[in-house]
Amino acid sequence: MSMTDPLGDMLSRIRNGGMAHKSFVTAPASNLRASVLEVLKREGYIRNFEKVNVRPGVDEFKIELKYHEDKPVIKEIQRVSTPGRRVYSKVKDLPRFYNGLGIYVLSTPSGVMSDHEARQANIGGEVLCKVF
């Protein structure tokens, strides 16, 4: 059976792993997921991630979750743009999430980036998810 929302599946795995206090979670590998994980790592929401070869032709990401004082750093992670409802935003229309404490992850013509980086580059795009 095929998956309709691979990115949403990875975000759910991260959310569930954090609530269960797992040290790491795994998710199937793809270029979009790698880009989103790179943004989460750069912004300090996950410790690290690495690509692991399960068997020939099948790769997975091993995502190391981050905790602060025994609580998950990611308090909320939610998909904004879904396969059935795409959400696009211009850079000037991008709202602040939790008064700037949280981030939006955007897919732009210049690649996947956080809302802070998109504002600096003055570029809008598809709003993939929000993280706090």
Side-chain angles (χ1 to χ4, degrees):
M1 178 160 213
S2 66
M3 195 180 313
T4 58
D5 189 10
L7 182 60
D9 174 65
M10 182 186 74
L11 298 178
S12 293
R13 289 175 189 229
I14 292 172
R15 183 184 321 110
N16 294 341
M19 288 191 299
H21 292 281
K22 300 280 187 184
S23 58
F24 69 91
V25 294
T26 60
S30 74
N31 291 336
L32 177 65
R33 291 178 186 189
S35 300
V36 170
L37 288 172
E38 189 62 45
V39 170
L40 292 178
K41 180 181 173 185
R42 213 172 31 238
E43 294 290 329
Y45 287 103
I46 61 172
R47 209 175 280 293
N48 200 4
F49 72 97
E50 65 178 327
K51 194 174 194 177
V52 178
N53 193 333
V54 178
R55 58 182 184 270
V58 179
D59 293 331
E60 279 189 345
F61 287 123
K62 183 177 178 182
I63 306 162
E64 192 177 346
L65 301 178
K66 193 173 183 180
Y67 295 92
H68 178 70
E69 295 178 359
D70 210 27
K71 292 183 182 170
V73 171
I74 298 177
K75 293 172 183 54
E76 182 180 335
I77 187 165
Q78 188 177 21
R79 184 85 153 106
V80 175
S81 187
T82 61
R85 184 183 63 97
R86 300 291 184 185
V87 177
Y88 298 93
S89 178
K90 297 177 185 174
V91 70
K92 63 180 180 183
D93 297 335
L94 242 155
R96 300 246 182 229
F97 184 53
Y98 278 115
N99 230 3
L101 296 175
I103 64 164
Y104 283 101
V105 178
L106 283 88
S107 175
T108 68
S110 299
V112 177
M113 58 181 70
S114 69
D115 60 340
H116 307 299
E117 296 164 337
R119 282 189 183 93
Q120 288 177 345
N122 196 26
I123 192 165
E126 181 181 358
V127 182
L128 297 175
C129 62
K130 58 183 179 177
V131 185
F132 172 68

